[in-house]
Amino acid sequence: MAVGETLEDEITASAASPVDEHGRLHVCGTRLCDSAGEPVQLRGMSTHGLQWFSQCVGDASLDALAYDWGADVVRLSMYIQEDGYETDPEGFTARMHDLIDDATARGLYVIVDWHMLTPGDPHYNLDRAKTFFAEIAAEHGDQNNLFYEVANEPNGVSWAEIKSYHEQIIPVIRQHDSDGVVLLGTADWSSLGVSGGTDEQEVIDDPVDASNIMYTFHFYAAS
């Protein structure tokens, strides 16, 4: 390392960032592919709710994630309830804008996570979600590093109800971002129905009518 050079400078000089390496990602068949059409797997971590422990998500932690851990992606979790978005929509949206910019500056992919959990019906927050994702996509829709996770863990409602929500949110995003990957929560806490006694077949039989989407699956050891 040269005199006056930081670890960030050295790593930046020696290796391309994940976004520099892979460019805009898209869904190809059942895989995520990079701008060259090659399958890619992203590795990274999620924040906790952005309303908690704000000191834990900042320059130092993002530097560690990008330059020390060599992560490809960070998931920014915007809780709606539990003292989250609904208490200060303008303030929390501004916080999300800032963190997207901070992660983008480090060459990371960003999952904008609409972290609905309780209540489990995503329609409860439908109007809030439309406002939030319209603002996020309008500001960042021209970037090549965003994923939109529109419902974290739907629960207590059928796949048909969850699908109905998705099909109302996707057009809001597409008004500003025609090709960003949208991540769709699945039944029973995004277990593809497994935790509720069904499985992925209900999604296969009745898929969301949209392109460049992926369905989320959360693995729970007990079920």
Side-chain angles (χ1 to χ4, degrees), residues 57-177:
V57 186
D59 287 338
S61 58
L62 289 174
D63 281 348
L65 187 66
Y67 307 125
D68 185 10
W69 291 17
D72 305 307
V73 61
V74 61
R75 179 176 184 253
L76 303 175
S77 292
M78 175 63 73
Y79 275 68
I80 304 95
Q81 277 70 54
E82 301 183 59
D83 298 322
Y85 176 88
E86 68 177 0
T87 68
D88 183 9
E90 183 176 344
F92 278 112
T93 301
R95 171 82 165 140
M96 181 63 79
H97 285 317
D98 288 344
L99 289 173
I100 291 171
D101 289 343
D102 291 343
T104 299
R106 291 163 172 81
L108 293 170
Y109 291 97
V110 179
I111 297 173
V112 178
D113 165 39
W114 185 245
H115 206 91
M116 48 76 50
L117 177 62
T118 304
D121 183 352
H123 287 273
Y124 182 84
N125 288 303
L126 178 61
D127 289 341
R128 295 184 184 97
K130 287 182 175 179
T131 298
F132 174 75
F133 281 109
E135 293 178 354
I136 294 299
E139 180 71 17
H140 304 281
D142 61 342
Q143 297 176 203
N144 62 354
N145 65 323
L146 250 62
F147 292 79
Y148 305 88
E149 185 175 4
V150 296
N152 167 60
E153 289 183 350
N155 59 88
V157 292
S158 68
W159 167 243
E161 286 295 305
I162 299 166
K163 176 189 172 187
S164 169
Y165 166 86
H166 290 329
E167 290 181 339
Q168 293 181 70
I169 292 296
I170 292 171
V172 172
I173 295 170
R174 291 292 181 241
Q175 289 179 3
H176 306 284
D177 187 342

Side-chain angles (χ1 to χ4, degrees), residues 16-38:
S17 74
V19 176
D20 288 336
E21 180 179 356
H22 297 295
R24 183 179 292 276
L25 306 181
H26 64 282
V27 178
C28 52
T30 58
R31 297 186 177 189
L32 184 66
C33 292
D34 65 16
S35 58
E38 295 297 320

